[in-house]
Amino acid sequence: MINQTIGIENLEILIANDCSTDNTKQIIEEYKERVNNQTNKETIKSIHLVENMGGAFGPRNIALDIVNGEYLMFIDSDDNYPQDACETLYEKINEYDCDIAFGRYLRHYPQENLIRKSYTPYIDSLEKPYVDYLDDLVEGSDLNGFIGSLWKNIASRFIYGKPISKENNEEIFIKEFKEEKDDEIAILKILPSFWTKIYRTELIRENGIKFPDCISAEDLNFLLESYLKSEKGILFLNNRIVYNYYMRPEDEEKSITKNINFRLVNDSLKAYRLSSELSDEYGIKNKDFFLNPYLLNWIKLWLSRDNSKEENKIFLNEIEMMEKGKKNGFKYKLILKFIKILLKIKS
């Protein structure tokens, strides 16, 4: 953050320490003292929780309660911003006078010396070196052979559709999100990546938008509600990289979202249901765009562990609640039916 071109003196940095067990607290305090002395103001504020909240939703919500800036952004502890990220997003949200502005990200795999660019539903014209990177959802899929070919050439087209060409494919500005224009509502196909965005603090605070207490997919709910309650519009920078997301080696992975336990599987489904209900509440008829890929991924998550019959019954109850949705599209219904059959077999 100290190298951002916008200047650290123009930032307010909130660091939430959720009960770390190493010397993180000491490092934060030393860093805070050095930067605050440099800027001669409270540029960095630290939050040291005395009880672990069981998920990232807790520290994020606490930070939302004390933020003072006109705009806010998020960053995870093991990722980073390109040096011009804050300045780029700040300038654009002001230029368009919108509620949310966001760009794309790069997914880094250090051990494999591989970088994948994030998916976009629009025609992609990222210049080199990005043009040589794999698309993380389609071409970057882990599926190989016949199944991989089937996914890349048929299934992914069925789920995501063909890339959209607009008059201006560099900056897609959506003034009225709830109108659901075909070439604009497509931003729902983009993974939540809430940390690639700058939000008007007023939008979040006045609407009481918070992360639900789920350890997975809580960002989907936060972002969807932000979109739905936006009055000034949303801007997507289709060809600007504003975030570097790092994939940690599996043997060092301690993230709660990588520990495939019952709560993770259940919370994921619960979060999808909450998003489905939120879409119904606001009359969004295109919820298939974002929920279908998540539901397909959930099947893989569910299959990764040996769930008990009792657990499968809990999952089945969530699916049956989702089936009662008001705006369930054909593909969405099909996936729910498929999951329901799998759960009944296992129950």
Side-chain angles (χ1 to χ4, degrees), residues 109-128:
Y109 296 80
Q111 280 195 327
E112 303 173 39
N113 195 28
L114 175 67
I115 300 176
R116 293 174 177 170
K117 60 185 177 181
S118 61
Y119 168 80
T120 174
Y122 303 100
I123 295 292
D124 185 349
S125 60
L126 276 173
E127 296 180 357
K128 289 185 176 182

Side-chain angles (χ1 to χ4, degrees), residues 289-306:
F289 277 169
F290 63 98
L291 283 176
N292 288 351
Y294 279 102
L295 287 170
L296 290 173
N297 186 66
W298 185 85
I299 297 174
K300 181 179 178 182
L301 187 70
W302 172 72
L303 289 171
S304 68
R305 69 185 302 267
D306 186 20

Side-chain angles (χ1 to χ4, degrees), residues 10-23:
N10 295 311
L11 299 174
E12 174 192 50
I13 303 171
L14 305 180
I15 304 177
N17 174 23
D18 193 8
C19 299
S20 59
T21 56
D22 51 17
N23 61 340

